[in-house]
Amino acid sequence: KETLLGECKWTSNKVDVNLYYELKEKSNFINLPNKRFVLFSKSGFTKKMIELAKKENILLFDLKDVVNA
């Protein structure tokens, strides 16, 4: 069983790692096991965020992923 925590951004800027770190910090207030993170972005993600997502098993979805789902 996983707890899925996410955030959506509808901006013209790519999402960077700071959004993930802020969400991860907020998640400390939730006492649930097996937290998994997901980020949605209209404009995609920075290279740094994509690399971190691979290392930390973060789910990333951009506008194309959502529209074509």
Side-chain angles (χ1 to χ4, degrees), residues 3-64:
T3 302
L4 192 60
L5 301 166
E7 192 155 340
C8 304
K9 291 296 177 190
W10 190 265
T11 68
S12 58
N13 298 324
K14 291 184 176 188
V15 169
D16 197 16
V17 296
N18 60 330
L19 179 69
Y20 166 68
Y21 290 131
E22 290 171 9
L23 179 61
K24 193 171 180 181
E25 186 175 318
K26 291 176 194 176
S27 78
N28 291 328
F29 295 103
I30 301 170
N31 188 19
L32 294 171
N34 302 321
K35 295 174 188 169
R36 182 138 188 227
F37 298 93
V38 59
L39 300 175
F40 297 88
S41 171
K42 171 189 152 194
S43 302
F45 302 91
T46 64
K47 185 177 179 179
K48 196 172 181 181
M49 183 66 239
I50 293 168
E51 291 171 0
L52 181 64
K54 290 176 185 175
K55 290 179 188 173
E56 304 240 352
N57 200 22
I58 304 162
L59 300 172
L60 302 179
F61 296 96
D62 62 17
L63 183 60
K64 286 186 262 179

